[in-house]
Amino acid sequence: MIVIGGGLAGLAASVALAEAGWRVRLFEQRPFLGGRAASYVLPDGEHVDNCQHVTFGCCTNLEDFYRRVGSGNKIKFFDRLLLLDPQGRRGEMHAGILPAPFHMTGSFLTFSPLALKDKIAIARAFYSILQSGGHPPELDEPGGLSMLAWLQRHKQTDAAISRFWRVVLVSALSEELDHIDARYGIDVFWKAVLSNKTGYRMGVPAVALGDLYDGCRASIEEKGGEVVFRSPLRGLKIENNKLNAVIFDNGREESADAYVIALPHLVLSAILPESLKQTDTALGNLDKIMVAPITGVHFWFDRQVMTEPFITLLDTTTQWIFNKTALYATENGASTVKAPAPAQASAKENGQYLQLVISASHDLLQKPRQEIIDLCLAEVRHALPAAREAVLTKATVIKEAAAIFSPQPGVDRWRPMQQTSIAGLFLAGDWTATGWPATMEGAVRSGYLAAEAVLRSARTPQKFIQPDLKPDGLAGIWAKD
Ligand SMILES: Cc1cc2nc3c(=O)[nH]c(=O)nc-3n(C[C@H](O)[C@H](O)[C@H](O)COP(=O)(O)OP(=O)(O)OC[C@H]3O[C@@H](n4cnc5c(N)ncnc54)[C@H](O)[C@@H]3O)c2cc1C
C-alpha cells in the first residue's frame, strides 16, 4: 500500500490501513508530518505551530484518530468561550442546566454585546434550523445558497449578522458569509450548538501540533511499513485505466497493490495527466475548488498580559487570542514544548507567548508583515490592558494563502469521492466528498473513507468512520436520521 501526503488525511488512511494489517509506505515531501496542521522550527530555533488549531466536541473522527495514535490526552477541552468587544463588554458562552437545544439559553440571554432585538432574530433562525432537523429545504436549491442570503431571508439584524453569525462562521469556515454555502453554515450550528450539549466544547492541543503525530509512525512501522520524508510525488503511471506506479524525482518509480493520494487538490490537479482530466469529470473539476487564507500572528511579551486561555475579539481584525504559555503549561507549571528554544524558555519564566488567528484574511495577504504586526499589536493592547506597558520582544506572521478549500455555495458538486474510476487510485484530503468543511475532522474522515474504499475493493470491508454525536435532550424531537 502506498500513501502520498503526510497531512491528517494521509495519516488517518495510513493508520487505519496499518491497523487492518496492511504494510503502508507513506511518502511526504517535507521532513515532518502534519501538513497544514504542523509545527515548524523558525530560523532562530523557536518552535511554532503554523497556526493555532482547535477542535470541537462534535469532531468525533478526529477524536478517534487522536485516541488511536495515543494523543487523546494531549487535547485540553474547555466548556467556556469568552468574547470581548472594543467597548470592553464581555460575553460568555457555556452550557447551563437546560437540555439541548436550550443549554446555551442562559449565557445567550445575558450576552451583553447583542441587544434584545438581535437575540430574538437569532432565536427565530435557530428555531427554523431546529424544525428542519438541521437541514432546511431551501439548502437544496441548485447551485447552493449563500449563508448571507439565508440570514437575510430569515430577517437577521445587522448586529446579529456581524456580531454573532459572522463571528462564529468566519472562525469555523474561514470565509465571509456571502462565500459560504448555507449548508455548511447551518451544519456548524446544528452539530456544534443545537443538537447536543457537548458539541460546542472546544479542544485545544496542549502540545505542539507536531507532537500529536508521534504515534503515527509507530503504528505504520509496527506492520512493517515506513514513512519516507523529502519525497515529492511528480507523476502517476496510469496504463489501461489502472494506476501502476507513482513517480518521484529522477523518474524513480514505486509500485503497490493500491494507492491513496492525500495531497492538496491543486497539487494533485497539476500532477494528473491532462487526458484523464478531460475524460473524468470527477478529476477534471478540481481547479474549480477555490482556496481561502488564514493568518497566524505570534507575539512574545516580556511579561504576563492575559490570564484566560483564549479570548474571541469582536469587531476587530484579530479574531482570536490564544495564550500559548498557559495552554502548553502542565499541572506543575512546566511547558510541554520539547527542547524549548531560548525565546520560549524566557517566555515561560517571565513573559508570555500569544498566538492570534485571523481567518478569511484575504485583506492581509498583500499587506507587509510589519503593518500586520502593528495593527494586531494595537488591538491586543486595546483588549488586554496589561499588554499596554509590556514590551513585545518578538513577533512572527505566518500567512497561509491556501489554508482551506473555500466553502463556496455549490462547492460540493466539485468534491470527488475517495474511490476513483482508475483502478488502484484512491483519494483523501479535506477537499474530497466528506460532507464536512475544510477541517482536521474533514481530513480524518476523508482518510478513513479512503481506507474503507481500499478494503472494500480488496473484498475485506471494514469500517473506520465514527458516528456523529447523537442529538440529546429535546433536540432529538427534531433530529432526522
Ligand atoms: C492556518 C490554518 C489554520 C487552521 N485552523 C484549523 C482549526 O483550527 N481547526 C481545524 O479543524 N482545521 C483547521 N485548519 C484546516 C486543517 O489544517 C486542514 O483542513 C487539514 O489539516 C487538511 O489536512 P489534509 O491532510 O487534507 O491536507 P494537508 O495537511 O495539506 O496534507 C497534504 C500533505 O501533502 C504533502 N505534499 C504536498 N505536495 C506533495 C507532493 N508533491 N508529494 C508528497 N507530498 C506532498 C504536504 O506537505 C502535506 O503534508 C487550518 C488550516 C490552516 C492552514
Side-chain angles (χ1 to χ4, degrees):
M1 176 77 226
I2 285 181
V3 176
I4 309 281
L8 274 157
L11 290 173
S14 301
V15 167
L17 287 164
E19 277 183 22
W22 287 53
R23 189 172 85 88
V24 176
R25 304 179 68 207
L26 170 63
F27 293 89
E28 160 60 45
Q29 80 168 358
R30 301 201 282 188
F32 52 83
L33 297 173
R36 276 173 278 156
S39 311
Y40 303 117
V41 181
L42 294 176
D44 65 359
E46 190 90 60
H47 289 247
V48 293
D49 293 343
N50 63 326
C51 188
Q52 178 67 54
H53 275 65
V54 302
T55 177
F56 287 92
C58 57
C59 297
T60 50
N61 286 271
L62 182 63
E63 191 185 340
D64 173 77
F65 170 76
Y66 286 147
R67 209 175 29 240
R68 278 179 203 263
V69 301
S71 290
N73 60 354
K74 297 178 186 167
I75 307 292
K76 287 183 184 169
F77 274 91
F78 295 88
D79 295 329
R80 183 175 155 269
L81 311 181
L82 184 64
L83 297 96
L84 184 66
D85 77 4
Q87 293 72 41
R89 287 179 299 193
R90 287 178 167 234
E92 217 186 282
M93 298 304 282
H94 60 85
I97 52 168
L98 293 175
F102 304 112
H103 52 292
M104 294 281 192
T105 308
S107 54
F108 183 63
L109 288 176
T110 55
F111 187 68
S112 54
L114 289 173
L116 184 63
K117 67 173 188 304
D118 309 319
K119 292 179 187 175
I120 291 171
I122 295 167
R124 268 202 330 266
F126 273 180
Y127 184 61
S128 62
I129 296 177
L130 274 170
Q131 262 187 323
S132 65
H135 194 90
E138 63 267 30
L139 301 191
D140 297 327
E141 283 179 19
L145 176 71
S146 85
M147 190 66 200
L148 186 61
W150 188 86
L151 292 171
Q152 284 162 344
R153 279 190 198 183
H154 287 266
K155 306 213 170 0
Q156 296 301 291
T157 60
D158 288 348
I161 291 178
S162 67
R163 309 195 110 198
F164 180 73
W165 298 100
R166 184 180 178 277
V167 173
V168 176
L169 292 178
V170 170
S171 290
L173 301 172
S174 200
E175 261 302 7
E176 289 299 337
L177 297 175
D178 52 341
H179 292 291
I180 292 175
D181 191 315
R183 196 184 71 69
Y184 289 114
I186 286 168
D187 229 28
V188 168
F189 284 95
W190 173 249
K191 289 191 172 128
V193 183
L194 294 171
S195 70
N196 190 286
K197 216 168 166 174
T198 56
Y200 81 100
R201 294 179 69 230
M202 193 163 103
V204 188
V207 297
L209 283 173
D211 295 348
L212 294 171
Y213 316 122
D214 285 347
C216 296
R217 231 175 137 159
S219 320
I220 294 168
E221 287 171 357
E222 253 170 40
K223 293 284 156 49
E226 60 177 339
V227 177
V228 189
F229 290 117
R230 297 188 173 86
S231 302
L233 179 75
R234 300 295 184 203
L236 303 176
K237 189 170 172 185
I238 298 172
E239 294 156 327
N240 302 323
N241 220 34
K242 181 170 187 288
L243 180 57
N244 281 330
V246 281
I247 305 167
F248 296 95
D249 281 339
N250 304 318
R252 182 171 61 89
E253 292 185 6
E254 299 282 352
S255 300
D257 301 344
Y259 307 78
V260 174
I261 310 289
L263 300 178
H265 63 285
L266 296 178
V267 176
L268 173 63
S269 180
I271 287 172
L272 285 171
E274 219 33 63
S275 54
L276 177 61
K277 289 203 279 185
Q278 271 163 22
T279 51
D280 186 328
T281 48
L283 298 174
N285 284 319
L286 298 183
D287 294 333
K288 296 202 170 112
I289 305 176
M290 293 155 81
V291 293
I294 301 179
T295 298
V297 179
H298 303 246
F299 281 162
W300 287 264
F301 286 100
D302 67 339
R303 65 196 80 172
Q304 302 283 317
V305 298
M306 81 186 266
T307 48
E308 297 82 3
F310 49 82
I311 305 181
T312 307
L313 297 188
L314 301 178
D315 307 333
T316 46
T317 298
T318 306
Q319 293 151 359
W320 289 84
I321 307 177
F322 288 88
N323 176 350
K324 298 296 284 181
T325 306
L327 290 165
Y328 285 153
T330 58
E331 269 165 25
N332 64 13
S335 174
T336 57
V337 178
K338 287 179 195 160
Q344 265 165 352
S346 66
K348 188 178 79 125
E349 283 153 23
N350 320 307
Q352 203 164 42
Y353 167 32
L354 305 184
Q355 223 244 269
L356 283 45
V357 180
I358 304 151
S359 295
S361 56
H362 299 276
D363 293 348
L364 300 186
L365 281 181
Q366 304 308 324
K367 271 204 190 357
R369 286 185 156 67
Q370 191 56 49
E371 207 178 303
I372 298 172
I373 290 171
D374 294 344
L375 172 74
C376 293
L377 182 60
E379 291 180 347
V380 167
R381 289 197 160 134
H382 184 83
L384 307 173
R388 292 174 199 161
E389 302 298 315
V391 176
L392 182 70
T393 54
K394 197 163 84 139
T396 295
V397 176
I398 300 179
K399 299 179 190 176
E400 293 270 11
I404 55 145
F405 78 80
S406 177
Q408 302 277 335
V411 68
D412 276 355
R413 76 198 124 139
W414 314 126
R415 298 175 72 185
M417 301 297 288
Q418 290 73 29
Q419 180 141 20
T420 70
S421 63
I422 304 295
L425 171 61
F426 300 86
L427 303 177
D430 59 359
W431 48 274
T432 60
T434 64
W436 275 68
T439 49
M440 297 186 286
E441 169 73 8
V444 168
R445 279 178 184 247
S446 77
Y448 284 176
L449 288 169
E452 288 181 2
V454 168
L455 295 178
R456 254 195 328 272
S457 66
R459 299 190 202 292
T460 52
Q462 205 170 317
K463 258 197 104 50
F464 298 105
I465 284 284
Q466 303 299 308
D468 286 338
L469 288 181
K470 265 199 157 52
D472 65 16
L474 299 173
I477 297 172
W478 293 285
K480 297 194 172 114
D481 286 334

